[in-house]
């Protein structure tokens, strides 16, 4: 199954904040540079690359010298606005080092759910890819808030990356996280936890392991990653969950090596 990843032409890469920000809150410039190098080289190989990137709030906290996320939504949105500009500034600088042009798209769920807006977004991404440009996509955190009466939020960038992969009919979604894949238990607390090499169906048992109510695996965002995989599988796609500490791992994944968990 993994050998077919070598033939993947249109690939969505999702990076989480843990790849971009050190635990101490500083920006991981090494990882960002490695990511820019890797994705630029994949473009040089003739592949179509879309980057879905978290990190706006993390970068904003660093830029504003804040040591913790503020409590109110307006404050968080302000931090995200500062961080998004700074994050794109860093991305632009690093990608241009490798002569690769990028573009920014900030999306909210209503853009995807209205047919006309969805068509416009899809057309924009298709045009950028045709021009050899890498779209960098994030949720518009200054607009999308997680309130009960406000339905414009994707929920997280895991879901957003799966939706983007669905929209543009990507051959593969590579999700880089702070864990080596999907495990039978939390590997940080259970040394006997085993890695699932391949998963073909998302069922209730897996969702419980990942963070369903009363589960053992309540941290690390695994539940949202499984829900993203569920969306990908529903559209006959492929998703790989792997550790993003060294983004060059993408080369090995696309070479068919046994890395992370393959959902197919």
């Amino acid at each position: 199954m993994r050998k077919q990843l070598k033939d993947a032409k249109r690939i969505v890469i999702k990076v989480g904040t843990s790849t971009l920000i050190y635990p101490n809150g500083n920006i991981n410039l090494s990882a960002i540079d490695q990511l820019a190098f890797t994705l630029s080289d994949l473009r040089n190989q003739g592949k179509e690359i879309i980057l879905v990137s978290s990190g706006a709030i993390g970068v904003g906290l660093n830029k504003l010298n804040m040591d913790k996320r503020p409590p109110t939504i307006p404050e968080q949105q302000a931090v995200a606005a500062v961080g998004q500009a700074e994050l794109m500034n860093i991305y632009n600088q690093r990608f241009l080092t490798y002569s690769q042009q990028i573009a920014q798209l900030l999306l909210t769920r209503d853009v995807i759910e209205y047919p006309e807006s969805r068509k416009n977004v899809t057309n924009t991404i298709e045009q950028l890819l045709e021009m050899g440009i890498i779209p960098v996509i994030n949720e518009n955190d200054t607009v999308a808030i997680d309130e009960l009466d406000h339905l414009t939020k994707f929920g997280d960038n895991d879901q957003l990356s799966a939706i983007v992969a669905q929209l543009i009919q990507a051959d593969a979604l590579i999700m880089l996280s702070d864990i080596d894949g999907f495990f039978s238990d939390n590997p940080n607390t259970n040394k006997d936890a085993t890695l699932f090499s391949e998963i073909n169906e998302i069922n209730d048992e897996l969702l419980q392991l990942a963070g369903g109510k009363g589960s053992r695996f309540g941290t690390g965002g695994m539940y949202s990653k499984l829900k993203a995989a569920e969306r990908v599988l529903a559209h006959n796609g492929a998703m790989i969950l792997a550790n993003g500490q060294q983004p060059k791992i993408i080369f090995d994944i696309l070479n068919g090596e046994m890395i992370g968990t393959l959902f197919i």
Side-chain angles (χ1 to χ4, degrees):
M1 286 289 194
R2 289 179 181 258
K3 289 182 180 178
Q4 73 184 59
L5 293 173
K6 293 182 179 181
D7 299 323
K9 177 172 172 57
R10 179 170 288 192
I11 304 158
V12 176
I13 311 289
K14 188 266 175 179
V15 291
T17 301
S18 61
T19 298
L20 307 174
I21 306 290
Y22 286 114
N24 64 8
N26 289 328
I27 299 169
N28 188 338
L29 295 173
S30 173
I32 293 175
D33 183 71
Q34 198 178 118
L35 181 68
F37 168 81
T38 302
L39 302 192
S40 298
D41 192 69
L42 291 174
R43 266 291 313 131
N44 289 347
Q45 294 175 30
K47 297 184 184 297
E48 297 176 327
I49 303 297
I50 302 93
L51 175 61
V52 176
S53 174
S54 300
I57 289 181
V59 172
L61 291 174
N62 178 265
K63 180 76 172 176
L64 296 170
N65 296 313
M66 300 171 69
D67 57 3
K68 61 182 179 181
R69 181 187 284 240
T72 70
I73 287 176
E75 285 176 300
Q76 291 178 28
Q77 291 173 312
V79 170
V82 171
Q84 187 64 37
E86 180 67 8
L87 180 60
M88 287 305 298
N89 185 36
I90 296 169
Y91 273 143
N92 259 315
Q93 181 191 57
R94 298 325 302 154
F95 274 96
L96 286 176
T97 300
Y98 305 108
S99 303
Q100 177 59 54
Q101 182 66 53
I102 62 172
Q104 175 181 253
L105 285 84
L106 296 176
L107 304 181
T108 51
R109 182 178 283 277
D110 51 351
V111 169
I112 302 300
E113 293 185 344
Y114 287 101
E116 191 68 24
S117 299
R118 183 171 64 241
K119 179 183 175 184
N120 291 337
V121 168
T122 305
N123 288 345
T124 300
I125 296 173
E126 292 284 358
Q127 184 62 48
L128 289 168
L129 294 177
E130 189 175 319
M131 296 167 68
I133 297 169
I134 295 179
V136 180
I137 300 175
N138 194 0
E139 182 161 17
N140 191 339
D141 290 322
T142 61
V143 174
I145 57 175
D146 196 11
E147 292 181 352
L148 291 176
D149 61 344
H150 200 302
L151 304 178
T152 65
K153 193 170 174 62
F154 290 105
D156 54 63
N157 277 338
D158 294 337
Q159 291 299 314
L160 175 57
S161 65
I163 289 169
V164 169
Q166 174 191 340
L167 273 181
I168 61 165
Q169 299 179 308
D171 298 315
L173 164 60
I174 298 177
M175 192 174 289
L176 299 182
S177 181
D178 56 358
I179 195 167
D180 292 340
F182 185 71
F183 286 81
S184 60
D185 200 351
N186 190 337
N188 296 320
T189 57
N190 181 1
K191 62 182 178 60
D192 295 321
T194 56
L195 175 69
F196 289 88
S197 177
E198 185 174 314
I199 293 175
N200 308 117
E201 179 188 13
I202 309 300
N203 55 36
D204 290 340
E205 182 181 354
L206 288 177
L207 289 171
Q208 282 292 320
L209 283 176
K213 292 179 180 176
S215 99
R216 307 189 300 273
F217 211 154
T219 59
M222 282 297 125
Y223 185 83
S224 71
K225 289 169 176 54
L226 274 201
K227 295 301 287 184
E230 189 173 47
R231 179 183 288 272
V232 169
L233 291 178
H235 293 86
N236 297 316
M239 178 181 127
I240 302 91
L241 174 62
N243 196 313
Q245 188 173 14
Q246 299 290 333
K248 283 194 291 188
I249 198 174
I250 294 169
F251 289 132
D252 298 328
I253 291 170
L254 292 175
N255 201 36
E257 295 186 23
M258 297 293 289
I259 293 170
T261 301
L262 171 64
F263 299 85
I264 196 165

